[in-house]
Amino acid sequence: MRVLVTGGSGFIGSHVVDVLRARGHVPVNFDRVTSPHHERGTVEAILGDATDVDVLAHAMKGCDAVIHLAAMADVNHVQKDPEGAERANARATLAVLEAARRAEVKRVVYGSTIWVYSDCPETAVDESTRPEAPGHLYTATKLAGEHYCRSYAELYGVDYTILRFGIPYGPRARDATVLAAFVNKALKGEPLTVAGDGSQGRRFVYVEDLADGVERALAPEAANRVYNLAGSETTTILEIAETVRALVGEAEIVHTEARAGDFGGKEVSSDRALEELGWQPVTPFAEGARRYVAWRRERDAAPRPRLAALRERLVAASAWRPALRPVVTAILVTFGFFWSFASDDGLSLIAKAIPGTKPVTAVDTTRPQVGLIVDAPASIAPAVADQLASQGAAASIAFTGQPSAKTITAVRDSGSDAVPRLRPGGPVRWIGTRGQIHRAAKDLGIDGHVYYAVPGTGFTLAQDLLGHTAGATPVSGSVRVPQYGGLGVVERGDLIEISVKDEPGWRAWLDSLCRQVRQRRLTAVSAATLLRSGPVDR
């Protein structure tokens, strides 16, 4: 089966992707970020926001099923950002279901939670237990997703499978999860804080066992069914702290005030999953915790970035023989100056210390506007500008080469403008920066001050300085959106940089991106237009 996994770069999702691959399925990872757990090219991946129906529907083409795991899972984050939680959990689930309907996907497997039982009067619960009105917003958003699943099955024939996860733990867990947080504190020698008396029970489930259950839920008999995928043993928060102390070393356990709306714990039965899917958890909590601690130690012991290691070696060399210190110091200073002048890493470092030595990424404005920079081939640039105009938007189309006069005229006739994109610098190429900017401005018919888009990589301090002497200002997106990606967090005055390739679906995606801008009560104008309206922010 070809299966789209939303949130496939995350904790649970990455393990689900692994199980799907191991069992002969073709997983497609749909996430806002690339997966840190899979080598590039080993898993098909699409960057996008799970609230964007058009991008989702495009990604689902040819898929047999969707496993929807993208969500705001940290209850503390939910409590701090209720609107964001509703968008990430409830609204995203609705978008996934609607996209599945449009793409004619047969089934949506929805990752819910045993938190839906938190307000039930019963102590022992199973899938036949009726959830009560939720006291916590997290529970409310997950229950809303369950109701959407049933409604889409009833109204539109989109089959669902609802999986109510126990509390997951194991390798790749977010540092905010309870076990990970305890291990993190223990490794630092900090006390382990337990909310209340620590008697709150949890049905933890080891993440690899959970991923096994998710894959089994693709079976035909799981259509339009609800399953609990929880651990077989109840573990209290205090027992978790004691387990971590035993695995990591002595650590003080401190009790704090109980959290409002906390899940008090239930005896959750997973018998239905055993009877119908043949699934049961096989990893005891103590063993799963041991595996997590081993993975965590291995992760923390991983080599640091090469520049950090090189710096340490150079420092050690300078301390090796006192007589050589002046020579080594001179070499380091010379190398550091040249590196900062002719490399993009150097520009990034200097920009932190010296304002004004990095590209403009935003404008201080009172207008509800954002500036668009579009990287598109000249062959479709007029069509891109025309598509933006149909959505009431405009952009600065960045050209690396010399487009035809007809192309430039067509772009401007649609309300957009043309700006040059500088080629990457480096140890030598930066020398021709002034000439490159002057030629590009002439080719594009730009009079007066020139705004130019910096290269994606390789923009150097030398290019920045020479560009200023040519009467030009470098610009770059504070928000960068790859093709078919979602917009993310955007504020008034931001520059947004997007890439459009001549591939099927680019028009629908561009329309979707413009709608996302409007949903934030903003207007997309060209970057050059926005930059002329107010003070810049570097």
Side-chain angles (χ1 to χ4, degrees):
M1 295 177 68
R2 181 177 174 85
V3 184
L4 186 82
V5 182
T6 69
S9 298
F11 169 36
I12 299 173
S14 63
H15 285 281
V16 169
V17 167
D18 290 343
V19 171
L20 290 172
R21 292 176 66 196
R23 296 181 182 174
H25 301 289
V26 179
V28 180
N29 176 18
F30 185 94
D31 207 310
R32 292 184 300 175
V33 297
T34 56
S35 174
H37 310 298
H38 303 104
E39 292 185 9
R40 186 181 297 272
T42 58
V43 176
E44 185 176 344
I46 298 174
L47 291 177
D49 193 299
T51 61
D52 193 318
V53 177
D54 293 332
V55 176
L56 280 165
H58 179 79
M60 290 181 191
K61 288 181 180 179
C63 289
D64 302 292
V66 176
I67 297 174
H68 178 42
L69 302 175
M72 185 183 291
D74 190 316
V75 294
N76 294 316
H77 292 167
V78 170
Q79 192 163 340
K80 291 178 181 177
D81 184 11
E83 185 179 3
E86 188 278 333
R87 184 185 304 111
N89 293 351
R91 203 178 311 175
T93 302
L94 185 64
V96 167
L97 289 163
E98 175 59 20
R101 181 179 75 86
R102 296 184 190 179
E104 299 182 346
V105 174
K106 299 175 183 177
R107 179 110 62 88
V108 173
V109 177
Y110 172 56
S112 187
T113 174
I114 61 172
W115 272 62
V116 300
Y117 300 118
S118 59
D119 296 283
C120 298
E122 299 91 343
T123 302
V125 296
D126 60 19
E127 294 86 350
S128 65
T129 304
R130 186 181 183 86
E132 297 289 327
H136 199 290
L137 186 64
Y138 173 68
T139 311
T141 60
K142 299 306 285 185
L143 272 174
E146 291 194 10
H147 293 320
Y148 291 153
C149 287
R150 293 188 177 93
S151 297
Y152 264 75
E154 182 71 23
L155 296 174
Y156 308 113
V158 178
D159 288 343
Y160 67 84
T161 302
I162 294 171
L163 303 178
R164 292 171 176 167
F165 297 159
I167 312 300
Y169 73 103
R172 305 176 189 170
R174 294 175 294 107
D175 286 349
T177 57
V178 61
L179 176 63
F182 278 164
V183 170
N184 187 48
K185 288 185 176 181
L187 290 172
K188 292 180 179 178
E190 298 175 358
L192 310 182
T193 55
V194 174
D197 61 5
S199 62
Q200 309 95 308
R202 297 286 190 271
R203 283 297 176 101
F204 287 91
V205 57
Y206 188 62
V207 67
E208 292 179 11
D209 294 345
L210 187 61
D212 168 51
V214 173
E215 189 277 334
R216 289 173 184 262
L218 294 171
E221 55 267 31
N224 302 318
R225 298 288 282 166
V226 180
Y227 299 98
N228 296 327
L229 299 183
S232 56
E233 56 182 333
T234 298
T235 306
T236 68
I237 301 299
L238 182 59
E239 287 172 341
I240 299 170
E242 292 171 343
T243 300
V244 169
R245 182 166 60 181
L247 289 169
V248 178
E250 283 301 317
E252 182 185 4
I253 297 177
V254 177
H255 294 266
T256 62
E257 186 177 351
R259 293 188 304 188
D262 203 359
F263 182 30
K266 303 288 183 182
E267 296 295 324
V268 182
S269 170
S270 301
D271 289 347
R272 179 184 290 182
L274 176 61
E275 294 167 3
E276 298 183 11
L277 305 179
W279 179 86
Q280 61 181 341
V282 296
T283 308
F285 179 78
E287 171 59 19
R290 185 196 64 78
R291 294 181 193 175
Y292 172 77
V293 170
W295 170 83
R296 180 63 181 271
R297 291 185 187 277
E298 182 179 355
R299 187 196 73 175
D300 292 349
R304 281 175 288 179
R306 287 178 295 176
L307 280 175
L310 176 61
R311 184 172 59 249
E312 288 186 357
R313 290 193 183 102
L314 290 171
V315 171
S318 66
W320 181 47
R321 289 185 179 177
L324 292 179
R325 285 181 185 174
V327 176
V328 172
T329 300
I331 292 172
L332 289 175
V333 170
T334 303
F335 171 77
F337 175 78
F338 185 77
W339 172 73
S340 66
F341 195 67
S343 75
D344 52 348
D345 288 332
L347 177 61
S348 299
L349 182 62
I350 289 177
K352 295 179 180 179
I354 307 174
T357 54
K358 66 175 182 177
V360 175
T361 58
V363 170
D364 184 9
T365 179
T366 58
R367 299 175 182 177
Q369 295 178 336
V370 291
L372 282 187
I373 305 169
V374 176
D375 186 16
S379 58
I380 65 167
V384 169
D386 188 59
Q387 195 71 25
L388 288 168
S390 71
Q391 295 292 322
S396 291
I397 311 292
F399 293 99
T400 302
Q402 180 182 354
S404 66
K406 182 179 179 180
T407 296
I408 298 171
T409 300
V411 165
R412 288 176 177 156
D413 286 347
S414 296
S416 290
D417 54 52
V419 298
R421 179 177 292 282
L422 211 61
R423 292 184 176 86
V428 176
R429 190 178 291 168
W430 58 267
I431 297 172
T433 297
R434 284 174 53 89
Q436 189 183 156
I437 290 174
H438 286 312
R439 284 193 300 273
K442 182 179 179 181
D443 293 339
L444 298 177
I446 299 174
D447 295 322
H449 194 82
V450 179
Y451 293 104
Y452 65 94
V454 303
T457 58
F459 184 62
T460 67
L461 176 61
Q463 288 179 296
D464 180 76
L465 296 175
L466 290 174
H468 279 294
T469 66
T473 300
V475 297
S476 180
S478 61
V479 177
R480 292 174 178 260
V481 185
Q483 187 147 331
Y484 308 126
L487 188 57
V489 178
V490 175
E491 297 180 356
R492 179 181 61 201
D494 279 348
L495 297 187
I496 303 171
E497 193 164 349
I498 66 175
S499 298
V500 180
K501 299 177 182 178
D502 190 6
E503 296 177 353
W506 72 261
R507 293 177 184 272
W509 170 71
L510 199 58
D511 288 350
S512 171
L513 209 62
C514 291
R515 284 196 299 273
Q516 292 176 56
V517 171
R518 292 197 299 271
Q519 287 169 0
R520 291 160 172 78
R521 298 181 180 179
L522 298 169
T523 301
V525 300
S526 78
T529 298
L530 183 66
L531 287 161
R532 296 187 187 104
S533 69
V536 300
D537 181 13
R538 288 175 175 267

